Amino acid sequence: MATLRPPPLPGPIRVSINARKILIGFAILFALVGIFSGIYQVPANSVAVVQRFGGYLRTAPPGLHFKLPWGIDSATIVEVQRQQKLEFGTATRGATNFYQYTDYDEQQKEKNMVTGDLNAVLVEWEVQYHVEDPVAYTFNFREPLATLRDLAEAVMREVVGDRTVDEVLTIGRQEMEQKALERLRGLVDGLKMGLRIDLIQLGNVNPPAMVKASFNEVNSAQQEKESAINQASGEYNRVVPRARGEAVQKISAAEGYAAKRINEAEGDATRFNALLTEYKKAPEVTKKRMYLETMGEILPTVPGKIILDEKASSFLPLLNLRQPAPQKPQPPAASR
């Protein structure tokens, strides 16, 4: 019986390693990584705040730039040409700004406020801003947008707390926006946050849901009151000026009639005095003239006059010689 022998073991494998090539490869890789990590691009609407070992170095404009790699230099991109906004009590989904809005529970807390007359209201608003100083924005505050949110909420609560619920819900919106803008802009400038507040705009301002129906009834009653007042004012403005005009017209007519009667009376008195003077000078002549003038006025108004001589011995009545106007001949009746 034949015995089995194990196969012979292989001999040692010799690998030739070139340390120089390895070092050259690492050097090339190191250089490539350094070059690519040192190149950065700044978008058209932004600038880059470049820092060296954490300290400010320069501000790079838009374009392609190079910085020292391996953490020696770092660049923080800051958008300076775009207007941004923070929303309070509401949210526009899909925003790229992490600080633009908060979650739902925080939104409910943000918009719950108390007015100066101790009434509750729900206020939604937004703050529009842009970065004015990128260096101050980068270095002065660790979380500038979180700080801005806190300041904006504090300012709005202060403005709402200084006004009544009627002002907040109705007539005071524009004045509240302007006051909050001035207040927040003053705080941001004083703290040198590097931001510029462009606009504060109020959104929905409503009473709480549990008392909304009562507020709506009150507003409806106020609107009806204003409508009634306006209607009464319109009727007053329509009737009163017309009555005043009619009164002035009647007074003017009465004054004119009085002046006419006075002038006529004075004229009659002057004429009577003139006749009296002439009568005293020549009574017979004046009397005859007055008689003739009077008859000249009366006779033309008397129809069928007959004038006789006082010396006539008899009276011969005269026939009415007036011939009636000829009548137009009637057309003959049509024969049947």
Side-chain angles (χ1 to χ4, degrees):
M1 182 175 176
T3 59
L4 297 176
R5 296 180 180 181
L9 296 175
I13 300 174
R14 296 181 179 180
V15 179
S16 176
I17 298 176
N18 193 335
R20 182 178 179 183
K21 291 182 180 181
I22 294 175
L23 292 177
I24 293 175
F26 274 111
I28 293 174
L29 181 62
F30 182 84
L32 291 176
V33 172
I35 291 173
F36 283 105
S37 65
I39 297 175
Y40 65 98
Q41 185 176 6
V42 181
N45 63 344
S46 307
V47 296
V49 178
V50 182
Q51 308 167 48
R52 178 164 294 173
F53 297 113
Y56 173 71
L57 181 62
R58 66 179 183 276
T59 300
L64 193 63
H65 302 276
F66 179 80
K67 60 181 177 61
L68 296 181
W70 309 113
I72 299 175
D73 290 349
S74 60
T76 302
I77 306 299
V78 181
E79 293 181 317
V80 295
Q81 299 295 329
R82 185 171 72 92
Q83 190 178 62
Q84 306 179 59
K85 68 178 180 179
L86 300 179
E87 296 174 314
F88 298 83
T90 184
T92 301
R93 299 299 176 182
T96 58
N97 185 358
F98 174 76
Y99 294 95
Q100 180 169 328
Y101 61 86
T102 54
D103 56 21
Y104 179 79
D105 293 336
E106 189 65 25
Q107 292 171 21
Q108 298 304 312
K109 295 178 181 179
E110 288 174 347
K111 63 183 180 181
N112 276 283
M113 298 188 184
V114 178
T115 61
D117 53 357
L118 302 180
N119 283 292
V121 290
L122 304 178
V123 182
E124 298 177 2
W125 78 101
E126 69 177 36
V127 177
Q128 298 182 10
Y129 68 96
H130 69 275
V131 178
E132 187 176 44
D133 186 351
V135 178
Y137 175 79
T138 304
F139 289 99
N140 290 356
F141 284 85
R142 176 175 296 179
E143 297 289 346
L145 295 185
T147 304
L148 180 60
R149 287 197 67 92
D150 295 339
L151 291 176
E153 184 175 353
V155 167
M156 186 56 67
R157 291 187 181 278
E158 178 184 356
V159 172
V160 172
D162 289 340
R163 285 155 183 80
T164 64
V165 65
D166 292 335
E167 293 176 327
V168 175
L169 293 175
T170 56
I171 61 175
R173 292 174 60 95
Q174 185 175 2
E175 192 268 339
M176 289 171 57
E177 292 174 348
Q178 185 63 31
K179 189 67 177 180
L181 176 62
E182 295 175 358
R183 178 63 175 159
L184 183 59
R185 186 176 289 175
L187 290 174
V188 170
D189 293 343
L191 294 174
K192 297 181 180 180
M193 298 179 63
L195 299 172
R196 178 66 178 177
I197 308 302
D198 300 320
L199 179 68
I200 292 181
Q201 186 174 7
L202 288 173
N204 295 325
V205 181
N206 297 309
M210 62 183 67
V211 296
K212 189 174 182 178
S214 300
F215 270 93
N216 291 337
E217 292 179 0
V218 172
N219 291 333
S220 178
Q222 290 179 346
Q223 291 175 1
E224 292 178 358
K225 174 184 174 182
E226 295 295 333
S227 177
I229 293 175
N230 294 333
Q231 184 177 0
S233 299
E235 188 69 16
Y236 174 85
N237 294 330
R238 185 180 65 85
V239 174
V240 173
R242 184 178 64 183
R244 288 176 179 173
E246 292 177 354
V248 171
Q249 181 181 3
K250 292 181 179 180
I251 292 173
S252 300
E255 291 176 350
Y257 180 75
K260 176 185 175 182
R261 297 292 295 171
I262 292 172
N263 293 333
E264 289 178 353
E266 290 178 350
D268 293 342
T270 302
R271 185 178 63 178
F272 180 81
N273 291 332
L275 290 175
L276 179 61
T277 301
E278 296 297 327
Y279 182 79
K280 290 179 179 180
K281 292 180 180 179
E284 294 299 329
V285 176
T286 304
K287 185 186 298 184
K288 184 177 291 187
R289 182 172 66 84
M290 292 175 63
Y291 174 76
L292 294 176
E293 291 178 352
T294 303
M295 295 304 295
E297 294 176 357
I298 295 175
L299 290 178
T301 62
V302 179
K305 298 180 292 293
I306 299 175
I307 301 175
L308 299 175
D309 190 357
E310 61 182 1
K311 297 179 180 181
S313 59
S314 63
F315 172 70
L316 179 63
L318 300 177
L319 297 176
N320 187 5
L321 300 179
R322 293 182 180 179
Q323 297 295 331
Q327 298 181 353
K328 294 182 180 180
Q330 297 291 333
S335 61
R336 297 182 179 178

